[in-house]
Amino acid sequence: MQKFTNALLVILLAFYALSCNNDIPDTKKGNTVSRTVLVYMIATNNLSNYSYDDIAEMITGMAQVTTDGGNLLLYEVSYNSDPTLYAITGTNGTPEKQVIKTYPADIRSTTATRMAEVINDTRDYAPANSYGLVLWSHADGWVKAFEPEERTISRDTFKPLDFGIDYNEKMPITELAKVLPNNMF
């Protein structure tokens, strides 16, 4: 199952990265590219060991991208470092992860405050005609487990949705919906 999940992530990232170029545009010059994709990775949970391989795959994949018109940004919070926004580039076929901004660790990545800050920084550092978003972490589904003898789904069957686990703190899906700008992603 994990290989399938990793393969699906790579396929999704490859799809979004196909239009990525090799450099973050100079926003002071007002450069706007076709597409910027933000990967919002919360790895301060039991998925942390998988983040290293997934980031390595993103970097390797970007080294193979040759078309112009887009950017791949990674916001990563992990046990080993402060929350950081990176540009994943493949300049001249040499893959790298460039630091754009490091954030204070006192605000959890599952808060609307932090997510809004990262989204705004993404727009500032990599303006684009369109944006994509990959949410990388845990999430809760909306239908709770029920016993086989239960034949119908009622209102009580549904539970609140959450995204991410940042040191055991989750973001309610209603808060996520409020923080995502209308029609941005």
Side-chain angles (χ1 to χ4, degrees):
M1 182 65 172
Q2 184 58 43
K3 285 184 179 184
F4 174 76
T5 303
N6 285 344
L8 182 59
L9 177 64
V10 171
I11 290 168
L12 286 173
L13 289 174
F15 173 75
Y16 284 116
L18 283 177
S19 66
C20 295
N21 80 4
N22 295 331
D23 299 306
I24 295 299
D26 182 353
T27 58
K28 293 179 181 161
K29 293 182 181 177
N31 294 339
T32 300
V33 297
S34 173
R35 187 157 180 83
T36 293
V37 175
L38 169 64
V39 178
Y40 197 88
M41 178 180 281
I42 302 175
T44 49
N45 52 56
N46 65 354
L47 296 176
S48 63
N49 288 335
Y50 300 109
S51 68
Y52 305 112
D53 289 341
D54 290 348
I55 292 169
E57 289 172 351
M58 286 183 244
I59 292 169
T60 300
M62 285 305 293
Q64 299 171 25
V65 172
T66 58
T67 60
D68 290 338
N71 300 297
L72 178 60
L73 273 56
L74 167 67
Y75 170 77
E76 176 195 12
V77 58
S78 67
Y79 289 125
N80 299 324
S81 63
D82 287 333
T84 305
L85 182 62
Y86 299 96
I88 306 295
T89 65
T91 307
N92 298 324
T94 305
E96 59 186 2
K97 187 168 87 167
Q98 300 172 338
V99 174
I100 294 174
K101 181 177 180 180
T102 301
Y103 301 84
D106 62 337
I107 298 175
R108 294 282 176 241
S109 297
T110 50
T111 65
T113 301
R114 175 52 50 82
M115 186 176 272
E117 183 178 14
V118 171
I119 290 170
N120 288 332
D121 289 340
T122 296
R123 271 196 284 217
D124 289 345
Y125 285 101
N129 294 325
S130 70
Y131 294 88
L133 176 64
V134 176
L135 297 173
W136 190 106
S137 190
H138 284 288
D140 290 331
W142 53 80
V143 179
K144 70 178 184 178
F146 56 92
E147 298 300 318
E149 61 271 4
E150 295 181 54
R151 299 281 185 224
T152 61
I153 296 176
S154 68
R155 270 188 172 266
D156 296 332
T157 305
F158 296 93
K159 67 178 186 174
L161 303 169
D162 295 308
F163 162 69
I165 298 178
D166 188 4
Y167 290 103
N168 294 322
E169 292 185 26
K170 299 176 181 182
M171 174 183 269
I173 202 77
T174 52
E175 192 171 329
L176 175 64
K178 289 176 187 174
V179 76
L180 295 177
N182 286 340
N183 302 314
M184 181 175 173
F185 299 107

